[in-house]
Amino acid sequence: MELSCKSEYAILALLEMAAHYESGEPLQIRQIAAQQNIPDRYLEQLLATLRRGGIVKSQRGSKGGYLLTREPRKIILFEIFECLEGLEVNTCEENVNSKRVDSFVIEEIWQEASRAANSVLQKYTLQDLCEKRDSRRHLDIMYYI
């Protein structure tokens, strides 16, 4: 399993929005893109997907931009990945006998791995990521002192 560029950019953007959540001020695409080094056009597409998924909302006007729809502690990572990648564990509808046993065993293990990965993603929130990031930043600062 690999983290796609799409998911990584989206999570970086969401982390930026989470950092500004308390202010209640929307962030513009160019602000997020500059802060997280994400191409503007690509970020625009990602935010549109996240908006359709109910994770962010947009605000129009001169002070407009994007905001999280709810507190970072209420946004589960699984929900983000599901919105972006369409995560789900697919069960095979085909008759087991019509497949080779080797293929069936591989598929069975792959589905178990997918369920385990999904379980981990369901345990963490956007707030958890923010806290991990902040503690790492603190450690980095202490290291250089």
Side-chain angles (χ1 to χ4, degrees), residues 45-111:
Q45 293 171 9
L46 292 175
L47 291 173
T49 301
L50 292 168
R51 186 178 47 76
R52 285 189 299 274
I55 296 169
V56 300
K57 61 184 174 183
S58 60
Q59 183 175 311
R60 293 180 178 255
S62 61
K63 301 274 187 188
Y66 286 86
L67 299 145
L68 297 175
T69 56
R70 54 196 183 274
E71 297 173 54
R73 67 182 178 84
K74 294 184 178 178
I75 299 174
I76 299 168
L77 293 185
F78 180 82
E79 177 183 4
I80 298 166
F81 284 99
E82 188 175 41
C83 174
L84 295 166
E85 307 286 351
L87 289 183
E88 57 186 59
V89 177
N90 296 322
T91 56
C92 184
E93 300 293 327
E94 294 178 30
N95 184 350
V96 176
N97 295 331
S98 67
K99 283 190 149 191
R100 289 189 43 199
V101 173
D102 296 349
S103 296
F104 181 75
V105 168
I106 292 168
E107 184 176 321
E108 191 175 56
I109 298 300
W110 186 254
Q111 287 186 10

Side-chain angles (χ1 to χ4, degrees), residues 4-142:
S4 71
C5 201
K6 173 172 52 171
S7 291
E8 183 176 0
Y9 282 161
I11 291 171
L12 289 171
L14 291 170
L15 282 172
E16 191 65 29
M17 285 187 262
H20 293 89
Y21 180 78
E22 293 298 322
S23 74
E25 297 287 323
L27 292 177
Q28 295 180 348
I29 289 175
R30 63 181 164 75
Q31 291 174 291
I32 299 168
Q35 195 66 28
Q36 294 294 338
N37 200 25
I38 303 170
D40 292 27
R41 296 250 186 231
Y42 194 50
L43 181 57
E44 191 174 343
Q45 293 171 9
L46 292 175
L47 291 173
T49 301
L50 292 168
R51 186 178 47 76
R52 285 189 299 274
I55 296 169
V56 300
K57 61 184 174 183
S58 60
Q59 183 175 311
R60 293 180 178 255
S62 61
K63 301 274 187 188
Y66 286 86
L67 299 145
L68 297 175
T69 56
R70 54 196 183 274
E71 297 173 54
R73 67 182 178 84
K74 294 184 178 178
I75 299 174
I76 299 168
L77 293 185
F78 180 82
E79 177 183 4
I80 298 166
F81 284 99
E82 188 175 41
C83 174
L84 295 166
E85 307 286 351
L87 289 183
E88 57 186 59
V89 177
N90 296 322
T91 56
C92 184
E93 300 293 327
E94 294 178 30
N95 184 350
V96 176
N97 295 331
S98 67
K99 283 190 149 191
R100 289 189 43 199
V101 173
D102 296 349
S103 296
F104 181 75
V105 168
I106 292 168
E107 184 176 321
E108 191 175 56
I109 298 300
W110 186 254
Q111 287 186 10
E112 182 180 344
S114 293
R115 284 191 297 272
N118 292 347
S119 175
V120 169
L121 292 173
Q122 289 173 347
K123 288 192 317 190
Y124 290 99
T125 66
L126 194 52
Q127 182 67 39
D128 295 328
L129 282 185
C130 289
E131 289 169 4
K132 283 181 178 283
R133 176 202 56 203
D134 294 345
S135 70
R136 289 265 169 94
R137 283 182 179 168
H138 182 69
L139 287 175
D140 284 347
I141 290 170
M142 295 303 290

